[in-house]
Amino acid sequence: MPSAAPPSDRNLVGVHKEYVSNVSSTDYPGHYPGEDHSWDLGLFNERCRVQVQRLSQRSIEFDLVGVDASVANALRRVIIAEVPTVAIEQVYVWNNTSVIVDEVLSHRLGLVPLNVDPRLLEFRSTDPDVPDIPTDQNTMVFRLNVRCERNPAARRDETDPEVLYRNSNVLASHITWVPQVEQATTFAKLTPASTKPNIVLAKLRPGQEIELEMHATKNIGMEHAKWSPVATASYRLLPLIILKAPIPPHLCRKFAKCFAPGVVEVVKNSRTGQDEVKIVNPRKDTVSREVLRHEEFEGLVELKRQRDFFIFNIESEGPYSPEELLPEAITTIRNKIKVIRDAAQKLVVDMTIDT
Amino acid sequence: MATDQAKLPKLSILPGAEPNLASASYCIRNESHTLGNAVRWMLMKNPSVEFCGYSVPHPSEPVIHIRIQMYDQKSSLDALLTALDDLDTLFETINDKYNSSLQSDSFERWEEQS
């Protein structure tokens, strides 16, 4: 049925002094009499908007507009916990005479971010019927062999351990890759190593050494956070500042100072020449609600957030470049949907056989 | 860890469902709020669905329950299948729009210090 354009404040969350109002979405069929809110791909296609805003070599900011919170949240959760990466899982310590014990060192090694493209590896088997055997298809082998020695060239009164000794710091860059079978050609593009070469793994003194072998496997952040491809993946709703009445000229500066820098500006009115406020960029606002604390602004301003406007911020901390993470998450989520769909289809078949 | 879990079906119907599945509760294994909430939302977008809700019965079990009740004695399993299909096309749409935004190259590029 044709329905009139819904009121614009319906998708606005109210931000008040001590509470938030109108938080839940109501765009379901049967919620508003005479309005149809059933799923319509054409309408969704029209209303949904994705706009990349900022991209660096480590992070991306993009807007996802016109979707429900459950969809945005599914994407956020999948990016954090279900996009696979490769991390060190088994550590075989042959010799470790450092002060840091084997299990603590192993844990630190597991957390080292690797630049290995997970799309080139398979998952290890978790099925009890299929034996879990490490092969060149599912495991990367690394070695760490470091021995600390005195630096004979150091002056006698030297106190800096970095000059006095060689290899006093064991770094992530000391980890070396040992190619297995065909891996030398598969991973020829980028030599597998840590994405951050300067991570201190342990400290050594002359005579101490570390000698170990590591097996890295592909897994997801749900199993352990070391397999999470991101430092953070978060979203916030677009803030809105709505002026209900003009701000008195002598209070304009105070009003502007209630917001984050760059959100509100004080400008001269072209006709009267008096100060007035101009909302320049509400997107930058932190929604600190400072403006609601002052009596003189009561009733003049309302703070809102747009419920279907998600500003995503993703910081990549692994093998993926930041712009690859959302497509990877969507691939993962669509695979998950397919698995459930196949199971549901099987259930339909089973039901028809039973009856 | 999940030694005996792999044997259990991904999707099963919990006891107490109507024989024609007009109202039924489904149990999905190895899923969480991630898909539970999205599937619930898509089911609620269906005008034939009278009620839909989901829950994670216990936080340390990777299981979700989805309750679906239909109008006019329709099959909730069919509704679940359509919801999953629609959700799939929704994510496909988002992916297409994201890729075209990336290709349009109309965004700020900057160098981040680490």
Side-chain angles (χ1 to χ4, degrees), chain A residues 25 27-29 36-39 41 44-60 62 64 67-71 73-75 77-78 82 126-129 196 222-223 315 322-327 330-331 333-345 347-348 351, chain B residues 1-4 6-7 9-13 18-21 26 28 30-35 37-42 44-49 64 77-78 80-102 104 106-114:
Chain A
S25 54
D27 53 343
Y28 301 109
D36 178 26
H37 285 284
S38 56
W39 172 247
L41 183 64
F44 174 75
N45 214 343
E46 226 170 84
R47 292 194 181 158
C48 176
R49 196 167 60 81
V50 186
Q51 174 72 51
V52 180
Q53 295 288 350
R54 298 181 87 209
L55 176 67
S56 80
Q57 79 284 13
R58 290 183 42 188
S59 67
I60 186 169
F62 65 89
L64 178 60
V67 301
D68 190 70
S70 57
V71 171
N73 197 39
L75 289 171
R77 284 175 65 106
V78 167
E82 291 178 66
T126 49
D127 186 343
D129 295 338
K196 299 271 167 351
M222 201 185 271
E223 183 67 33
E315 287 174 32
E323 70 272 19
E324 287 175 324
L325 281 161
L326 187 79
I330 290 175
T331 310
I333 224 167
R334 290 183 70 191
N335 284 337
K336 282 158 69 81
I337 291 170
K338 191 178 177 294
V339 170
I340 302 174
R341 216 208 106 87
D342 291 349
Q345 202 75 61
L347 215 55
V348 174
M351 301 285 291
Chain B
M1 168 207 119
T3 41
D4 50 333
K7 304 275 180 200
K10 180 79 181 174
L11 179 73
S12 55
I13 299 170
E18 298 267 338
N20 63 356
L21 294 183
Y26 296 87
I28 309 179
N30 288 319
E31 289 302 340
S32 62
H33 293 284
T34 307
L35 267 190
N37 197 13
V39 171
R40 184 226 88 218
W41 175 78
M42 192 49 101
M44 283 175 75
K45 280 294 217 182
N46 184 344
S48 304
V49 172
I64 55 170
L77 193 52
D78 290 346
L80 182 64
L81 277 166
T82 11
L84 289 167
D85 284 341
D86 290 342
L87 208 56
D88 190 61
T89 50
L90 181 150
F91 283 114
E92 192 184 6
T93 311
I94 294 176
N95 199 22
D96 293 347
K97 285 176 185 280
Y98 176 82
N99 285 332
S100 59
S101 174
L102 256 188
S104 76
S106 58
F107 48 85
E108 181 193 343
R109 284 179 188 270
W110 60 298
E111 198 63 31
E112 193 166 353
Q113 301 299 316
S114 58

Side-chain angles (χ1 to χ4, degrees), chain A residues 118 254 261 271 278 280 331 333 341:
Chain A
K254 185 175 179 183
R271 255 182 319 110
K278 188 183 168 200
V280 191
T331 310
I333 224 167
R341 216 208 106 87

Side-chain angles (χ1 to χ4, degrees), chain A residues 143-197:
Chain A
R143 272 182 180 279
L144 181 62
N145 289 333
V146 185
R147 185 182 163 83
C148 180
E149 265 150 15
R150 281 183 192 283
N151 177 10
R155 281 170 45 200
R156 287 202 69 178
D157 58 347
E158 180 61 57
T159 51
D160 181 5
E162 305 244 351
V163 183
L164 264 179
Y165 317 123
R166 280 178 186 155
N167 291 335
S168 66
N169 284 348
V170 181
L171 302 174
S173 56
H174 285 124
I175 296 175
T176 52
W177 175 51
V178 186
Q180 306 293 311
V181 201
E182 286 173 356
Q183 286 179 348
T185 47
T186 321
F187 296 91
K189 244 188 203 169
L190 183 66
T191 309
S194 170
T195 56
K196 299 271 167 351

